[in-house]
Amino acid sequence: MSSTLRRPQAANAARTKARAGARQALGVLRNEGVAESRKGAGVFVRAFRPLRRRGIQRLSQERWGVGRSIWSADAEDRTLVVDQVTVSQEEAPERIGRVLDLVDGDTVCVRRRRFVWDGKPVLLATSCLATSLVAGSALTREDTGPGGTYARLAELGCKPVHFREEIRSRMPTKDEAARLSISAGTPVILVCRTAFANESRPVEVNEMTLDAASYILEYDFDA
């Protein structure tokens, strides 16, 4: 009798161990960005082809200076949709005010948007520009027009001539994970870009949050 009971117990234990192992393996794949969970449907292999972000070519004046979006450098044959666009005037956060050489009480024009490539949210961007610089210009509207922010800054006499990007990574916040449709275990890349006009004048700070599994960062330059 006792030997008869041990067999199903052993089988159940083996099945439980196998399920636990499978769940652990799926968790690893999700955290590495190889697989993704779809609510009510299960776990699927991630089919999104990573974007190649060409960090230097995309900021060339030859691109935005002739009315092309800097994002077109990443496009290839991909479909881009920019949504969740908001433009507001806000008190400058300390870190932004410090970079833009603002004084206490100064405000900034804050431009927030999300970039969706081939139906997949991959990047969140928040640009800050001094209100005193952009007031009344197209930069205070959702659609900045051909060439985007840098073309409009050029029209204001503040053409960007130099850029600095700082890059680091961390795990996403709950809000970032939701807006990028990623699991809490998928890391994000943070890119903070500052645009400078002549005489090293800082004119824009753009803080970007990238889904790390969706991007390859490429920097191609001469020695």
Side-chain angles (χ1 to χ4, degrees):
M1 184 71 171
S2 60
S3 62
T4 304
L5 290 173
R6 277 197 299 271
R7 292 194 186 106
Q9 288 173 345
N12 288 338
R15 283 194 292 270
T16 300
K17 185 176 181 180
R19 284 195 293 268
R23 284 195 296 270
Q24 183 178 12
L26 287 174
V28 170
L29 292 175
R30 283 196 297 265
N31 291 342
E32 291 181 350
V34 177
E36 59 184 351
S37 297
R38 298 178 190 172
K39 189 174 181 180
V43 180
F44 297 81
V45 174
R46 186 172 175 135
F48 185 82
R49 177 163 51 95
L51 291 156
R52 188 170 293 274
R53 183 181 187 273
R54 296 174 172 87
I56 295 176
Q57 295 93 326
R58 67 201 311 275
L59 295 174
S60 170
Q61 184 181 342
E62 295 177 359
R63 184 171 301 277
W64 52 262
V66 295
R68 299 175 63 191
S69 165
I70 64 173
W71 303 97
S72 64
D74 308 332
E76 299 176 346
D77 57 346
R78 317 291 286 269
T79 301
L80 170 65
V81 174
V82 182
D83 65 7
Q84 299 184 6
V85 180
T86 64
V87 182
S88 59
Q89 181 176 312
E90 303 175 16
E91 184 176 345
E94 181 181 354
R95 68 184 186 284
I96 300 296
R98 186 168 57 248
V99 175
L100 292 179
D101 292 334
L102 304 179
V103 300
D104 289 345
D106 280 351
T107 61
V108 287
C109 173
V110 182
R111 303 181 52 81
R112 295 184 176 91
R113 58 264 192 224
R114 182 178 72 163
F115 292 79
V116 181
W117 288 94
D118 295 343
K120 170 70 177 73
V122 296
L123 182 146
L124 310 173
T126 301
S127 294
C128 293
L129 308 99
T131 300
S132 58
L133 172 63
V134 303
S137 74
L139 288 165
T140 62
R141 301 194 293 267
E142 290 188 5
D143 184 359
T144 56
T149 296
Y150 300 139
R152 303 292 80 75
L153 283 171
E155 293 170 355
L156 293 172
C158 295
K159 179 180 70 175
V161 297
H162 181 73
F163 296 95
R164 179 182 67 216
E165 287 195 343
E166 300 167 281
I167 301 174
R168 61 190 180 94
S169 63
R170 60 164 168 76
M171 305 311 290
T173 65
K174 185 176 181 180
D175 177 67
E176 290 167 346
R179 294 179 65 196
L180 290 172
S181 298
I182 58 176
S183 68
T186 300
V188 291
I189 300 170
L190 306 179
V191 179
C192 180
R193 181 172 66 236
T194 305
F196 298 87
N198 285 324
E199 299 180 350
S200 300
R201 178 187 179 184
V203 290
E204 183 223 26
V205 176
N206 188 353
E207 296 181 323
M208 292 162 277
T209 303
L210 291 66
D211 169 14
S214 294
Y215 273 94
I216 297 171
L217 306 187
E218 177 183 299
Y219 294 89
D220 185 6
F221 46 87
D222 295 330

